[in-house]
Amino acid sequence: MLELEDIQHILLTRTPAMTGRYEFLSFGNSAGGRAWLSELIPIVESAATATAAMDSTKRWVTLAFTYNGLRALGVPDAALATFPDAFREGMAARADILGDTGANRPDQWVGGLAGDDLHAIAILFARDDVEHARATGVHDELVARCDSVRSLSVLDLNATPPFNYAHDHFGFRDRLSQPAMEGSGEEPTPGSGAALKPGEFILGYPDENGPVANLPQPDVLSRNGSFMAYRRLQEHVGAFRTYIGDN
């Protein structure tokens, strides 16, 4: 049984957000970072609360941290050493493995996303532009009053029409290949196979091969969490449509 009250909503729910923001942050010291985190924890929606209040909620908040961010918050080295190599090294250090070369190499990444001082991402989804402005303003005030916490960059988001179904920037329907998870309440789309074990996505549960070994320790640091990759891609929609029209 999934512990929905302890799992961040973004892993299991799709909100009716029309706008949002990704904000990337750095902590100059652990006290400032913990002060920032302590004020946000009460408003981070779990999968349980987001589902129960979906029709009345106007904003949804998710938080995630890098390896350096956990260290900046004061997580002990012994605990940090239990995380997998890919997480501890970070994407910039693994650029050759990931194919981030040439124009895509880390020194070309925007927003300070390749630096060791990237510690956290705060994700805001808002129902409309009014709530977006209110919520981001409140967060700006929080950052300003937390010692040594600073914003490295932001990326503001807006949905693109049509709004009655999920689609990508090229206009194709999205989420058709999104796997369903056992216990999530979501049914697999036709032809996509059976729902997968929750341990394929969420730490602390069996995956398709059974119980998962070597999870980050202590258990409270990993259970009901997940690993998230943030990748910013430039999509040449106009060039794609021109190519389709010419061929």
Side-chain angles (χ1 to χ4, degrees), residues 11 20 26 35 49-50 71 113 119 141 146 150 168 195 197 228-229 235:
L11 295 175
S26 184
T49 58
R71 169 170 282 170
L113 303 188
H119 292 156
E141 294 172 357
C146 289
R150 60 190 176 93
D168 63 17
K197 299 292 185 183
M228 179 181 72
E235 298 181 331

Side-chain angles (χ1 to χ4, degrees), residues 84-170:
D85 290 345
F87 180 71
R88 291 189 286 119
E89 293 170 5
M91 283 193 293
R94 299 167 63 84
D96 289 341
I97 298 173
L98 298 171
D100 293 333
T101 59
N104 299 315
R105 64 185 186 272
D107 64 0
Q108 298 296 305
W109 295 357
V110 300
L113 303 188
D116 290 340
D117 59 347
L118 172 60
H119 292 156
I121 175 174
I123 303 174
L124 165 73
F125 291 155
R127 191 176 290 271
D128 52 43
D129 289 334
V130 172
E131 179 60 21
H132 177 277
R134 187 204 66 80
T136 55
V138 170
H139 185 249
D140 288 346
E141 294 172 357
L142 172 61
V143 170
R145 67 174 181 269
C146 289
D147 178 50
S148 82
V149 176
R150 60 190 176 93
S151 175
L152 298 175
S153 63
V154 301
L155 178 66
D156 285 318
L157 318 169
N158 278 99
T160 56
F163 300 125
N164 59 332
Y165 66 90
H167 59 86
D168 63 17
H169 287 82
F170 295 99

Side-chain angles (χ1 to χ4, degrees), residues 6-7 24 28 59 68 75 85 188 193 232 243-244 247:
D6 195 42
I7 299 172
F24 304 92
R59 60 96 183 94
N68 288 324
V75 175
D85 290 345
R232 186 181 298 186
Y243 175 83
I244 295 297
N247 293 275

Side-chain angles (χ1 to χ4, degrees), residues 187-206:
E187 294 298 323
T189 54
S192 63
L196 299 179
K197 299 292 185 183
E200 295 291 327
F201 312 94
I202 301 176
L203 301 177
Y205 300 87

